[in-house]
Amino acid sequence: MADGAWRRFALRRTGRLLVSLWVLVTASFLMIHLVPGDPVRAALGMTASADLVAARRQSLGLNDPLWLQYWHYLRDLFTGNLGDSMVSGLPVADVIGDRLPATASLAGLAFLAAVALAVPTGVGMAILTRGGRRRWAETTYVSGSVVLATVPDFLLGVGLVAVFGVQLAWAPVAGRGGTATYVLPVLSLALGLAAVLGRIVRVEMVSVLDADYIRTARAKRLKARTIYLRHALPNALTATITVAGLMLGALVAGTVLVENVFAWPGLGYAIVQSILSKDYPVVQGIVLVYGIGVLLINLVVDVALALLDPRSTIRES
């Protein structure tokens, strides 16, 4: 029975992943065809000669029938060929390869920082406010986290730059270099996520602390640290993992605006510059990378939840 449930779970998740990938690839292909006007003319500028525009359209295969272009696009993707930049002439794969580490490091550190802030504060507030105690602390914490979570990442980044970068000059405000350059962009991405996760951890922890097995553990005179960390916390993290995984996908996409605030040389900065310069092959490639990243994150979250709580996840209808 268990093997069959795992098999059905794997088939469902694989099927969803394949369908989502097909939708993503098709949408990225249609992107260049949905742009009003001639994308090649827009990329080369109005002063480009007709012969140059025609030659570039021919080299990109834009004169072929749509179904043939789609077939060539799929074939090139399977061989790792994402095309060439219209502006620099460099392979799109090389552009992405140069920029991806900067975005991955920024998003990864922001996620770790958010979890490191959310779990201790959520657990601490749950312990302090359990059973309706310290209402003032609960109200202050919830209100503050709601306000912080509603501030857009890029707007928070602008505020951090103004205060800590310009007025106090405590951290660099642009570029990627040493450790100090990570502080402000990581905080811009992490604080809002930490506020949301912290509230979820607190709510789940309060619920778990009222469970019968926790009361039994207290009756056995177990140490408070053992009760909170070994018995309560693991059971309170299921919902947190779900939301954290979903928000990690949003966090990856959220790097686009934050990277432009801090002139961070990642994919987010590159895609905005490519949109401004009408460099559609680069835009297509980066959209694919972001989309695949979000799909893979969701898959990892599904598998993690299945391992932590197989009854509710694997046996879903």
Side-chain angles (χ1 to χ4, degrees), residues 143-153 155 192 195-196 199:
S143 301
S145 60
V146 168
V147 171
L148 186 60
T150 57
V151 179
D153 297 336
L155 190 58
V196 175
R199 291 206 313 274

Side-chain angles (χ1 to χ4, degrees), residues 70-198:
Y70 186 58
W71 167 250
H72 289 162
Y73 184 68
L74 293 178
R75 181 198 62 192
D76 290 342
L77 285 181
F78 278 107
T79 59
N81 180 15
L82 298 178
D84 297 327
S85 168
M86 288 185 178
V87 175
S88 65
L90 295 173
V92 174
D94 291 349
V95 175
I96 293 174
D98 290 339
R99 303 280 187 154
L100 182 58
T103 296
S105 62
L106 179 61
L109 288 174
F111 181 74
L112 293 176
V115 172
L117 290 172
V119 173
T121 55
V123 171
M125 290 304 302
I127 295 172
L128 287 174
T129 60
R130 181 175 61 88
R133 297 175 298 178
R134 300 178 180 88
R135 288 288 187 182
W136 61 270
E138 178 183 356
T139 302
T140 302
Y141 176 75
V142 173
S143 301
S145 60
V146 168
V147 171
L148 186 60
T150 57
V151 179
D153 297 336
F154 73 93
L155 190 58
L156 184 59
V158 172
L160 291 176
V161 167
V163 175
F164 298 103
V166 176
Q167 294 185 5
L168 300 177
W170 286 357
V173 298
R176 178 187 181 222
T179 304
T181 60
Y182 280 84
V183 175
L184 295 184
V186 166
L187 287 177
S188 301
L189 290 168
L191 290 178
L193 177 58
V196 175
L197 290 180

Side-chain angles (χ1 to χ4, degrees), residues 119 123 205 223-235:
V119 173
V123 171
M205 194 71 176
K223 294 181 179 179
R225 183 176 60 182
T226 301
I227 294 174
Y228 294 140
L229 299 182
R230 183 175 299 177
H231 296 281
L233 184 58
N235 292 284

Side-chain angles (χ1 to χ4, degrees), residues 233-314:
L233 184 58
N235 292 284
L237 290 182
T238 302
T240 306
I241 291 174
T242 304
V243 177
L246 296 175
M247 296 191 71
L248 178 57
L251 181 91
V252 172
T255 59
V256 173
L257 296 178
V258 171
E259 285 184 7
N260 282 273
V261 171
F262 293 95
W264 192 263
L267 292 177
Y269 188 78
I271 194 173
V272 171
Q273 298 303 312
S274 299
I275 291 173
L276 294 176
S277 61
K278 309 296 192 299
D279 196 350
Y280 297 111
V282 175
V283 176
Q284 283 181 314
I286 296 178
V287 166
L288 277 176
V289 171
Y290 274 119
I292 291 173
V294 171
L295 291 177
L296 291 178
I297 289 170
N298 291 337
L299 178 63
V300 171
V301 172
D302 286 341
V303 173
L305 288 176
L307 293 173
L308 289 174
D309 192 3
R311 289 176 299 176
S312 64
T313 305
I314 296 180

Side-chain angles (χ1 to χ4, degrees), residues 40-54:
V40 177
R41 169 63 70 181
L44 296 179
M46 300 305 297
T47 59
S49 65
D51 291 340
L52 178 59
V53 173

